[in-house]
Structure formats: structure tokens, C-alpha cells
Amino acid sequence: MAFETKEEVFEKIMEMEKPVCPHCKEEMSLWEVPPINVGDGLGWGTPYLFMCFNDNCPLYTQGWDSMMENYAQRASYRCINFPGTEQFELIPVFSPMGAKGQMIDDQVMAEEEALKQNIKKGFSILADCYVNQDGVTILKLLTDPAEPVRVRMKAAEMMGDIGELEAIEPIRNLKFGNQRLQEQVDSAIQKIHGRFFTRECPFCAEIIKRRAKVCKHCGKEVAGQ
């Protein structure tokens, strides 16, 4: 079974129609599962659930008395749904604000949808650039901090495939602030060197031929370095 990242799961859920709470008939909200184990310790099996946050839901309003009467606990229930299924269950909450910290509201959903569209746009531009061998535009996307990380990661990968030696200097001296992206950029630089049979002088950092014995820039011996 293929592993799905949290981001991929979120994208799938974004395309789903929100379920309706069977207790109050109100539309449920997306809820990010907190990083704690429940039940048998295996967790919920999904990073997101739908939850009813309607404070007038009969399940929620009547749950306070039920929990106090049966378990002597000041708590209630909220209804949850497993995305893409008809499976509805109950989850205890211990205050009116319980679980609301992980609620993903409409604004967050809109922001995520905008991010998704930006990623699609970036990938489309990169695809055209790759076909046209347009390394300049790929470099612009890679070095633009406003672009989504996934777009910049793909740009770095493509830069390794079609980038020229001139692309090394601007990306070598840029701090990307994301470890995975930085690793992808470092890998791209090595791929560019590999395609052109070059390397960087260990003394002056200028680009030289891989088999060079003396750096043509600083004059130092680099054989064996």
C-alpha cells in the first residue's frame, strides 16, 4: 500500500464534500488530529477528521448531563466522521473550547486551496521550462521565497538536469531556510558539476575542471584535493 504524506491526504480531503452531523444536521468542520495516541495506542489512522462544532447540537448539549450522571465527569461529546466514509463516532471533550484548537476554519481552508493552486501553476510553468530548456525561469522560481516549497524543490531538481554552470554561483550563495530544499539544491549543484565535468576549487571556490591540477583562478595546487 502506497504511503501518503499528510499534505497529500489534506489535498484529497479538500476535494471532498463536508459531511453533515447526523445529530444536528449541521455541516461538520475539518479537524486536525493532535499528535497523541488514543484507544489502543495506534491513533486515529488519519491526520484529519471531520467534527461537529455546533454548540447547539443535541449530542453536545445533552452530553454534559449524561457524562456527569454516568461517569461523574464534567465532559460532553462531539460527533466525528472519518473522511470519505459514512463512519461516525463520538469523542469526549472536557470544556466548551475542547478540540477547537485543532479546528481548521474556512480561512485556513481557503489559504490551503490558494496554496494548492499556486503549486499547480508553478508546476505547469516548470513543465514548459523543462521542455524549452529555460533554465533562467527555473532559476527565478527556485530563488523566489514567495514560491511554494514544493515548486522550489521541483525547480531545484530540474536545475540539476538542465542548469548551466552560471547557475551555480547564485544558488550556492543563497540560504534557503529549509533543510530538504537546501539538500535538493546541493544535489542539483553536484549534478551540474557532473554534467560539465567540473568542481569547485577548495581554496577560492571558483569553478575549475574536475581533472585540473592547478586552479586557474588562484594558482594553488588542487591535485588530490
Side-chain angles (χ1 to χ4, degrees), residues 185-196:
V185 169
D186 292 341
S187 175
I189 291 173
Q190 293 307 311
K191 287 182 70 175
I192 294 173
H193 278 309
R195 288 191 293 107
F196 287 94

Side-chain angles (χ1 to χ4, degrees), residues 121-184:
K121 179 181 177 182
F123 278 8
S124 177
I125 294 173
L126 286 172
D128 290 339
C129 290
Y130 195 84
V131 171
N132 297 318
Q133 300 290 289
D134 182 1
V136 174
T137 301
I138 293 176
L139 181 61
K140 287 181 179 179
L141 290 173
L142 172 58
T143 56
D144 185 353
E147 289 293 333
V149 172
R150 285 181 61 187
V151 173
R152 300 177 77 191
M153 289 278 290
K154 191 63 178 178
E157 179 185 339
M158 289 184 174
M159 187 57 62
D161 292 335
I162 68 173
E164 300 292 330
L165 287 172
E166 291 76 15
I168 292 179
E169 191 66 18
I171 60 178
R172 171 66 81 193
N173 293 303
L174 189 64
K175 299 299 182 183
F176 289 89
N178 179 290
Q179 183 177 351
R180 289 182 59 201
L181 178 56
Q182 186 66 61
E183 290 173 353
Q184 188 72 49

Side-chain angles (χ1 to χ4, degrees), residues 84-116:
T85 75
E86 295 296 324
Q87 183 180 352
F88 292 88
E89 295 186 9
L90 307 182
I91 184 173
V93 291
F94 298 91
S95 77
M97 294 303 296
K100 289 187 176 181
Q102 284 78 39
M103 180 172 61
I104 301 177
D105 59 22
D106 290 340
Q107 180 180 349
V108 173
M109 296 281 281
E111 290 172 353
E112 290 294 337
E113 179 62 25
L115 174 61
K116 180 180 176 182

Side-chain angles (χ1 to χ4, degrees), residues 6 12 19 23 33 37 54 61 70 74 76 98 110-111 122 139 141 173 187 190 199 211 214 216 223:
K6 186 175 180 180
K12 281 188 176 181
H23 304 279
V33 175
N37 292 329
N54 176 18
T61 58
N70 293 295
R74 176 168 172 72
S76 185
E111 290 172 353
L139 181 61
L141 290 173
N173 293 303
S187 175
Q190 293 307 311
R199 60 187 173 119
R211 64 178 185 275
V214 176
K216 66 178 181 179

